[in-house]
Amino acid sequence: THSLGGLLVKKMLILAHEKSLRNARENQEVDYSDLVKNTTAVVFYSVPHKGSPLMDMMLQPKDILINMGVANGHPIVKWLLSNYPPSLEMNTKFGEIFGNCSLSLGETKKEPLEGLIDLDMGGMSEMLNLMFDDSGLIQIVPRESSNPGFGLFEEIKNCSHTVINKPTGMKDRRYLAMVEFVTKKCQGR
């Protein structure tokens, strides 16, 4: 999984786990336990397990508009904020249930802001200039967020957020780390 996709997979697996427990107690026919039992390995590529400072910064102007009733925010965006309690709780719960079958790969290279953000959006350029160094680069998912605190964690050298999940070949560490981990987990079954 990559980025927000990792948060969605964590939520999906937690819901499947909870439903399988509930259905077992209530003797219901729908069984989610196969999904839970057959989840052998999960690989996270730069997933913001604990949010992204970029999202915190980007949503500040939008939060003002939402609070004024001028705009609506998408409900999933808040899950990308740093220290969002439900997201942190989900991370802890996932770690308790599936932590031993997870590998998280973290980015180490900053991204150029150009192309990631519409710098012409009302005042965004000026605000970004105040918040970032002169290089115009930002770490999308820093180490403290890409490392969930459970399972295995590895940083991929010289790799940015937008390419961490795009290995260039079979000798690329982004590919090898995933294959080694999944192979080890599948052989241990």
Side-chain angles (χ1 to χ4, degrees):
T1 69
H2 176 245
S3 200
L4 174 60
L7 300 180
L8 296 173
V9 166
K10 286 193 323 187
K11 185 68 173 179
M12 176 192 71
L13 287 170
I14 288 170
L15 289 173
H17 175 76
E18 291 171 349
K19 286 183 179 188
S20 71
L21 293 176
R22 187 172 46 252
N23 290 350
R25 283 192 306 266
E26 298 171 3
N27 294 321
Q28 293 187 9
E29 288 182 34
V30 179
D31 187 9
Y32 294 90
S33 62
D34 283 348
L35 178 61
V36 175
K37 286 188 287 193
N38 291 319
T39 298
T40 304
V42 180
V43 180
F44 297 110
Y45 287 89
S46 283
V47 170
H49 298 286
K50 299 168 190 162
S52 172
L54 174 64
M55 291 307 295
D56 296 340
M57 180 274 309
M58 287 182 65
L59 289 179
Q60 287 176 2
K62 191 171 190 174
D63 285 343
I64 294 166
L65 295 175
I66 291 168
N67 290 336
M68 291 171 48
V70 177
N72 292 319
H74 194 282
I76 201 153
V77 172
K78 60 189 169 196
W79 290 84
L80 297 171
L81 297 172
S82 297
N83 300 316
Y84 179 60
S87 184
L88 298 176
E89 290 167 20
M90 179 177 70
N91 187 59
T92 300
K93 190 173 219 171
F94 186 88
E96 292 167 358
I97 302 167
F98 298 101
N100 66 339
C101 68
S102 68
L103 166 67
S104 295
L105 301 174
E107 64 198 62
T108 55
K109 189 175 175 184
K110 293 181 176 183
E111 293 274 358
L113 291 174
E114 203 171 292
L116 288 175
I117 302 171
D118 180 2
L119 296 177
D120 293 330
M121 190 170 73
M124 184 64 79
S125 178
E126 291 77 19
M127 184 174 67
L128 291 174
N129 287 337
L130 294 173
M131 299 184 85
F132 300 106
D133 60 28
D134 291 334
S135 69
L137 300 174
I138 186 170
Q139 190 81 32
I140 307 295
V141 181
R143 176 188 179 96
E144 52 276 2
S145 185
S146 62
N147 182 351
F150 53 79
L152 297 177
F153 175 71
E154 180 179 335
E155 286 185 307
I156 304 297
K157 302 263 187 259
N158 296 313
C159 199
S160 66
H161 187 77
T162 55
V163 298
I164 193 163
N165 64 329
K166 298 175 179 102
T168 57
M170 292 174 66
K171 293 183 180 181
D172 189 316
R173 187 63 195 151
R174 295 170 283 185
Y175 176 77
L176 288 174
M178 182 270 304
V179 168
E180 290 165 4
F181 181 73
V182 171
T183 300
K184 182 180 175 185
K185 287 296 175 184
C186 289
Q187 287 175 345
R189 286 198 92 184

